[in-house]
Amino acid sequence: MASFRTVKGFRDFFPEECALRNYITETWRSVARRYGFVEYEAPLVESTDLYRKKSGDEITNQLYCFLDKAEREISLRPEVTPSLARMATARQRDFKKPIKWFQIGPCFRYEEPQEGRGREFIQFNADILGDSSPATSAELIALAIDVVREFGVSADDFIIRLSNREIWSTFLAEKNIAEEHTTTFLSIIDKIERARPEETEKKLALIGLTTAEVRAFMASTDENHPAFAALRENLTARGLWQFIKIDATIVRGLAYYTGVVFEVFDLKHGLRALAGGGTYDKLCALMSDGGVDMPAAGFAMGDVVLGILLKRTPGAQMKLTSAYLAASSIDAFVVVADEAQRPHALAAVQSLRAAGIRIDYSFGAQKVGKQFQAAEDRKARFAIVFGAEYPEVVIKNLLARSQSAVPVAGLVEEVQKLLAEPAIGPLIA
């Protein structure tokens, strides 16, 4: 017998993992809609040239790219922003500005799997196009904060590390550093906390700078810097500035972001960034060959790191457990105590399900005790017993250990009423 395993970097979603995935995506969707974002979707497969146009030829090293049967070079999407820019620029006249869109779906990167990173992951993307004001970045940062908080992660557990690419452009101009060195310089800043000091010093010297002057500038860049004034005012008014830490080392996609950049980090587990984003005002013009010059900003959050954090954070664990119980439980289990009543029981099963009530039952004849055990296993709140008393049925509250008899004609209404009452304590007088 052949033994097959998942492809390296990919995942099986057994019921527990599927419940976690659905809980994450439903929470993302709920908070995004609360903020007035509208959902869109893009293809899982795009022309490889779409990603080359955004990131250059080297991006193909990170892609699942291949030739289709028509010899076209295509790739599984590693991200959704290029598709968003393609779609938005193609029909931007059809939508009032600002465009506030979100997307949730799988992405694929051919990278070495490690904690917090797989080759297949689910990503939440939120973007605003057509508005260049600081309020756009503030809205996205607020959304990111509220998404994390919605999962039960407290202010003590995470922080937004915020910067602005423009502060470094100003720094380089003041130091008379040629613009051609900008990408190299930002790459150094991006790695400055991880690289060996002597390596950083050597690289900076090649473009006419020293570690001391760079560090001095970083130390002087705080929340009082003019580049953050509008953001600070907006987020302070919302009561959210407490989640912000100014960090000049945050630069993100070197040839991509143009202004505000931010990343979301946990504070207790040393995980990879939970999310990241910023302004990317030149992407729409790039992707449309100058046809549409539309400002844009956005962020992305993946499910892998987030899932690890939720399992390790007490407040989030409680909500996660509740979500799993809700996903795996049912409202009631129909017990057929008298096989002669099975046709009536099946009719009731369909009526209850048609009313939106989650119902299960044993497919064949079983001892009553086994059926009650099945009800317990499915975490049912009630058992509905069809026995010799028909057309009356017995509703047993499996939490309060109480019961009552009701006419089958009023069964749906009675179960709906009981489900609307608190789940703990006697539900039936």
Side-chain angles (χ1 to χ4, degrees):
M1 178 178 175
S3 176
F4 294 101
R5 298 182 179 180
T6 55
V7 176
K8 184 178 181 180
F10 288 72
R11 298 172 287 175
D12 289 319
F13 288 91
F14 286 94
E16 312 90 74
E17 290 83 10
C18 202
L20 171 60
R21 180 198 65 183
N22 292 342
Y23 167 59
I24 288 174
T25 58
E26 287 163 8
T27 302
W28 282 340
R29 187 169 281 112
S30 172
V31 181
R33 287 175 173 165
R34 195 186 307 163
Y35 270 67
F37 283 73
V38 178
E39 190 166 8
Y40 74 99
E41 183 55 282
L44 282 175
V45 174
E46 292 270 19
S47 167
T48 303
D49 285 337
L50 181 73
Y51 305 114
R52 286 197 182 100
K53 187 147 193 170
K54 173 183 177 274
S55 304
D57 288 334
E58 64 277 4
I59 188 65
T60 56
N61 294 326
Q62 301 175 24
L63 299 182
Y64 278 92
C65 51
F66 48 91
L67 296 177
D68 67 7
K69 292 182 180 180
E71 298 296 311
R72 292 168 296 207
E73 191 175 12
I74 58 178
S75 296
L76 295 176
R77 65 187 186 196
E79 57 172 320
V80 182
T81 311
S83 299
L84 168 66
R86 174 183 60 74
M87 293 168 63
T89 55
R91 289 186 50 192
Q92 60 92 16
R93 292 179 181 175
D94 296 338
F95 303 100
K96 292 186 177 181
K97 312 303 184 295
I99 297 170
K100 297 174 67 176
W101 287 358
F102 79 95
Q103 182 273 345
I104 297 169
C107 293
F108 309 86
R109 283 184 179 267
Y110 195 83
E111 298 178 317
E112 191 60 29
Q114 52 190 283
E115 184 181 54
R117 174 177 287 177
R119 291 179 172 176
E120 175 265 337
F121 52 95
I122 299 166
Q123 191 161 278
F124 166 56
N125 300 274
D127 296 85
I128 301 176
L129 299 90
D131 189 309
S132 60
S133 70
T136 293
S137 294
E139 181 81 341
L140 290 164
I141 292 170
L143 172 59
I145 291 170
D146 276 350
V147 164
V148 177
R149 291 200 297 181
E150 189 73 9
F151 287 109
V153 181
S154 73
D156 295 329
D157 295 312
F158 77 101
I159 197 75
I160 306 287
R161 292 165 60 183
L162 174 70
S163 188
N164 191 319
R165 292 280 289 270
E166 293 176 0
I167 66 174
W168 286 118
S169 298
T170 302
F171 170 81
L172 293 175
E174 290 175 349
K175 297 294 182 179
N176 296 313
I177 304 300
E179 190 173 335
E180 65 192 58
H181 295 309
T182 298
T183 299
T184 300
F185 173 75
L186 291 175
S187 179
I188 296 170
I189 298 303
D190 185 47
K191 299 178 177 65
I192 196 168
E193 302 299 344
R194 305 186 299 275
R196 292 200 298 251
E198 59 272 21
E199 289 183 355
T200 299
E201 188 70 48
K202 183 178 179 180
K203 290 178 180 179
L204 287 172
L206 292 175
I207 58 177
L209 291 167
T210 67
T211 301
E213 57 190 333
V214 169
R215 289 284 187 186
F217 176 76
M218 289 168 57
S220 68
T221 303
D222 59 19
E223 63 181 21
N224 297 312
H225 194 288
F228 307 114
L231 264 179
R232 182 181 179 183
E233 181 181 3
N234 187 304
L235 293 173
T236 298
R238 302 178 191 230
L240 299 177
W241 188 252
Q242 61 173 313
F243 293 92
I244 306 299
K245 177 185 178 182
I246 303 302
D247 184 346
T249 66
I250 302 297
V251 293
R252 295 193 59 76
L254 302 182
Y256 177 43
Y257 291 100
T258 57
V260 171
V261 284
F262 65 93
E263 293 183 346
V264 185
F265 281 90
D266 84 278
L267 292 173
K268 297 179 180 177
H269 306 289
L271 299 174
R272 308 174 68 86
L274 295 171
T279 56
Y280 53 95
D281 289 339
K282 298 177 182 178
L283 184 64
C284 288
L286 173 66
M287 302 304 283
S288 65
D289 293 322
V292 177
D293 189 4
M294 184 164 51
F299 75 89
M301 179 180 292
D303 74 309
V304 181
V305 179
L306 178 61
I308 295 172
L309 178 64
L310 299 186
K311 292 176 181 178
R312 295 182 182 177
T313 304
Q317 284 176 352
M318 293 177 62
K319 297 192 73 170
L320 181 58
T321 299
S322 295
Y324 176 69
L325 289 174
S328 60
S329 65
I330 57 175
D331 296 318
F333 192 96
V334 170
V335 174
V336 182
D338 179 357
E339 276 300 312
Q341 307 306 325
R342 181 168 289 273
H344 299 301
L346 291 174
V349 164
Q350 291 308 116
S351 296
L352 290 161
R353 287 173 173 172
I357 300 168
R358 298 174 298 166
I359 296 291
D360 205 355
Y361 69 101
S362 295
F363 292 166
Q366 278 190 340
K367 292 182 178 180
V368 171
K370 284 191 174 182
Q371 293 184 66
F372 273 101
Q373 183 58 55
E376 295 277 1
D377 293 342
R378 291 303 318 276
K379 304 177 182 66
R381 278 183 67 180
F382 302 100
I384 303 171
V385 183
F386 281 73
E389 302 85 359
Y390 189 85
E392 279 195 330
V393 296
V394 175
I395 302 178
K396 290 181 176 285
N397 183 330
L398 300 179
L399 298 178
R401 302 299 177 185
S402 58
Q403 69 179 54
S404 66
V406 300
V408 72
L411 178 61
V412 171
E413 293 75 12
E414 183 65 18
V415 173
Q416 288 175 325
K417 184 181 77 173
L418 293 172
L419 288 171
E421 296 176 356
I424 302 300
L427 300 184
I428 304 174

